[in-house]
Amino acid sequence: MPTELPSTTDFKYAIRTNRREFLHDAGVFGAGLAIAPWIAGVGANAAEQTSSNMIVHTTSPLNSEPQLGELTKSWITPVESFYVRSHAPNPKIDPAAFRLTVEGLIDKPLSISLAELSGSFEETSVVATMTCAGNRRSEHSLIKPVGGVPWQAGPIGNARWSGVRLSDVLKKAGLKDGAKHVWFEGLDEIAKGDGIIPFGASIPVRKAMADADAMPGALLTTKMNDQPLTPDHGAPLRGVVPGYIGARSVKWLGKIVVSDRPSPNHYVATAYKLVQEGTPIEWDESGPLYRFPLNSVICVPAANSKVPNGKVAVAGYALPPGTPGTSISKIEVSADGGRSWVVAKITSPVREHCWVLWKADVNVSSSASELIVRATDSRGDVQPELGQWNLKGYMFNGWYHLPVRGE
Ligand SMILES: Nc1nc2c(c(=O)[nH]1)N[C@H]1C(S)=C(S)[C@@H](COP(=O)(O)O)O[C@H]1N2
Ligand SMILES: [Mo]
């Protein structure tokens, strides 16, 4: 197995080489056999299957993702099928005593109860996709092993989030000159080194204030799919930042700080960055991740299914990048290793910061060993053929390969 990335300037080539070497060393590389057999189900070994049909990676804290086939059943993901990614057990919060505090570079510090929040600010809802930066992490490990929860392609979901606009709360507090970043702090207690830290995030003030008609820059939410937030998803209050990786949408939100710089919290200052070696210098050189990348995944049929020779019904999701105003414009599926592509039919609404669901009838020959999907966004950007390996296994968005067995 390769232990280091070649120091070539052609990173794409390096990845391909490593992937081949990996397969070769693992004894499964053969002529015409691509990476497919390894993709689905990778990392599932340690995970536990529950009656709720979720793949549970860890129980305390809970880290779980749905079976892919569940995801394409509905554009809005039911809460029961929505992944959970928590760094510590759910904090116990008394909603009656709960206060959200707002401090920092503002004119008027605030301490707001849940009743005051819903009573003083206009309620609004948005449909937005939440996805973990570690979605598809198990595919990084095919190139070179990475640590962390071995997510398959299920830590993603689309929900209707209801609450108040963050911009309205910041306007009430009054932003001072020099206010550039908004920090969020959760009420959870994460053991880190010798101490306990909360989960934290931050977003630029400009993003917080960037409300469009149908799309707020960020929301402080109390409901998910028109029901009160569940403890796993951050009750009683969570931030939701459309277009950004899930890590910026802080659950159990207790504190907001307005600052001239990004949050020094571990999950902004160190984690959630793209690094290769992970040297202290490299961490310092890298900026925090914000927007999620263009992506697409095949959810049906299940991995390693036997598919008949002839037309096969294929379905999945595609996510536009978190670039403002960008939506999905095309999804293509190939059953011949990328030589020819069938354009899929989009079966859901098409919006910025939201996934689309799609389906396609694809002609599969008896020799086919995999199906591939790739998406194109409204700016004309196409998903890259190869995912870019990084130490923490974030943002994997290479063409998705689904292994199948032709008849
Ligand atoms: N307070 C707090 N907020 C958090 C987290 C956390 O561990 N603690 N995890 C983050 C990460 S990494 C993701 S991907 C999303 C997951 O949201 P979900 O569990 O509601 O799906 O929550 C984010 N917000
Ligand atoms: Mo995440």
Side-chain angles (χ1 to χ4, degrees), residues 85 132-133 247 272:
R85 200 292 173 247
C132 186
Y272 299 107

Side-chain angles (χ1 to χ4, degrees), residues 114-159:
L114 291 166
E116 286 161 355
L117 199 66
S118 58
S120 330
F121 302 97
E122 187 192 354
E123 169 150 358
T124 186
S125 294
V126 68
V127 176
T129 296
M130 180 88 57
T131 184
C132 186
N135 190 17
R136 302 181 62 188
R137 176 173 288 141
S138 50
E139 291 169 68
H140 285 266
S141 291
L142 303 177
I143 300 167
K144 191 165 75 162
V146 295
V149 179
W151 298 112
Q152 300 176 44
I156 183 169
N158 194 46

Side-chain angles (χ1 to χ4, degrees), residues 261-338:
R261 66 200 69 178
S263 168
N265 183 279
H266 170 78
Y267 297 96
V268 177
T270 305
Y272 299 107
K273 290 180 172 183
L274 297 181
V275 299
Q276 302 300 313
E277 311 94 28
T279 58
I281 294 175
E282 207 192 2
W283 286 115
D284 289 349
E285 286 167 350
S286 311
L289 296 172
Y290 293 106
R291 298 173 186 179
F292 48 63
L294 173 64
N295 219 332
S296 65
V297 163
I298 297 171
C299 300
V300 176
N304 299 309
S305 301
K306 235 187 185 155
V307 291
N309 194 358
K311 287 258 187 266
V312 172
V314 183
Y317 67 75
L319 182 70
T323 311
T326 307
S327 53
I328 286 289
S329 59
K330 188 165 67 171
I331 297 118
E332 298 165 287
V333 182
S334 174
D336 59 5

